[in-house]
Amino acid sequence: LMESVGGNIVLLREVVGLFLNSDAPRLIADLGDAAAKRDAKALQAAAHGLKGLLGELRAERAAEMARSLEASGHSGDLTELDARVAPLISEMEKLKRQLQKLMESPNIS
């Protein structure tokens, strides 16, 4: 992750701060709403946003989950949607905890 920001701690804090405090929570909420409403277009948009955000953070597993949901939204395939959204939300929570620990690290202060 540090490589992706060129070793710039200020930029790292900004990227992680956006993830933790605005973008990720909003996109996860949008994803949940889209899944609950079975709204393929909204699913595609939320998953696309998450895919980009996760890609920036080099969270490849979660980014792949988001990519799959984005493709499902694009194609309108909403089968077993809840079973596919839940693991991504779980992965996002794990990532959130890891990033919070990273930001608390004395090496990042």
Side-chain angles (χ1 to χ4, degrees), residues 9-73:
I9 292 174
V10 173
L11 183 56
L12 176 66
R13 286 190 162 284
E14 184 177 325
V15 168
V16 171
L18 285 171
F19 176 85
L20 293 174
N21 300 315
S22 63
D23 292 342
R26 177 184 52 80
L27 290 168
I28 286 293
D30 291 351
L31 186 72
D33 289 346
K37 295 175 183 174
R38 298 296 193 252
D39 182 337
K41 186 174 181 176
L43 177 75
Q44 180 183 2
H48 178 78
L50 282 169
K51 179 185 74 174
L53 182 61
L54 292 163
E56 287 178 28
L57 293 171
R58 305 296 190 253
E60 300 302 326
R61 176 183 157 103
E64 177 56 30
M65 291 176 179
R67 188 209 56 77
S68 176
L69 287 169
E70 179 186 18
S72 293

Side-chain angles (χ1 to χ4, degrees), residues 78-97:
L78 303 180
T79 57
E80 299 182 22
L81 188 56
D82 295 332
R84 294 176 20 223
V85 168
L88 176 56
I89 291 173
S90 176
E91 194 71 16
M92 295 288 294
E93 286 300 317
K94 184 172 26 171
L95 180 61
K96 178 182 172 183
R97 288 189 301 274

